[in-house]
Amino acid sequence: MASRKQRRRREKEKRHEYELVEIDAEGNETVLNAAELKSPPPRASKSRGETAKPSRGGRTIQPPSWTRVLKRGLIFAPLFFLTVMLLGGSNVSIVGALLQTVLLMAVFVPFSYFMDRLVWRSQQKRLARTSGRS
């Protein structure tokens, strides 16, 4: 549902009349008719590896890749290390915390890849279903 600000903006856009104009090299404005407007070029069909725009304006989901998952792992590794150090208190040495962080990363990285793959496949099935109905 649109917020109050978005609804007000839409209502304001509907109150005003807009004309599409073209400015020539001399700076003169000429009003364009609907027949003069160019239609957008037809879109080429997308292959499996390319991303598709979602129908409801949400986020575009990219296909899973190990490089993206490893980058995500590098972002989360210091957070895992700090968490192990804080929760372990004085009982955990730095070497022990590093070992636990490596073990956490060994679980996190493959799990993250498989979750990306699950989301990607579900989006592809959803797109196939909606394109089959059209």
Side-chain angles (χ1 to χ4, degrees):
M1 176 166 217
S3 67
R4 184 181 302 164
K5 183 177 181 180
Q6 291 169 334
R7 287 192 303 263
R8 281 195 312 246
R9 185 173 292 150
R10 285 183 195 149
E11 290 168 1
K12 183 178 179 182
E13 288 175 355
K14 291 179 182 179
R15 285 194 299 258
H16 301 289
E17 288 188 28
Y18 294 98
E19 294 179 337
L20 295 175
V21 294
E22 182 180 39
I23 301 175
D24 59 6
E26 299 172 358
N28 299 327
E29 291 183 354
T30 57
V31 179
L32 297 176
N33 295 333
E36 294 175 348
L37 294 176
K38 296 179 184 176
S39 63
R43 294 183 127 185
S45 63
K46 295 190 179 247
S47 66
R48 178 185 165 97
E50 295 182 33
T51 58
K53 278 274 195 196
S55 60
R56 291 185 282 169
R59 231 180 102 190
T60 302
I61 299 174
Q62 299 175 348
S65 76
W66 282 104
T67 56
R68 192 175 323 111
V69 169
L70 289 173
K71 286 179 186 177
R72 188 180 306 142
L74 289 175
I75 292 171
F76 277 95
L79 297 174
F80 288 162
F81 179 75
L82 289 174
T83 303
V84 169
M85 289 297 289
L86 290 174
L87 293 178
S90 60
N91 298 335
V92 177
S93 66
I94 293 180
V95 175
L98 283 174
L99 180 65
Q100 288 183 7
T101 303
V102 168
L103 292 175
L104 283 171
M105 293 306 297
V107 173
F108 175 76
V109 170
F111 180 75
S112 183
Y113 178 80
F114 291 122
M115 287 303 296
D116 285 354
R117 194 171 78 175
L118 179 79
V119 170
W120 170 254
R121 285 183 176 178
S122 67
Q123 185 216 22
Q124 292 302 309
K125 288 179 186 176
R126 196 174 321 116
L127 286 175
R129 244 185 296 142
T130 56
S131 66
R133 280 190 228 165
S134 300

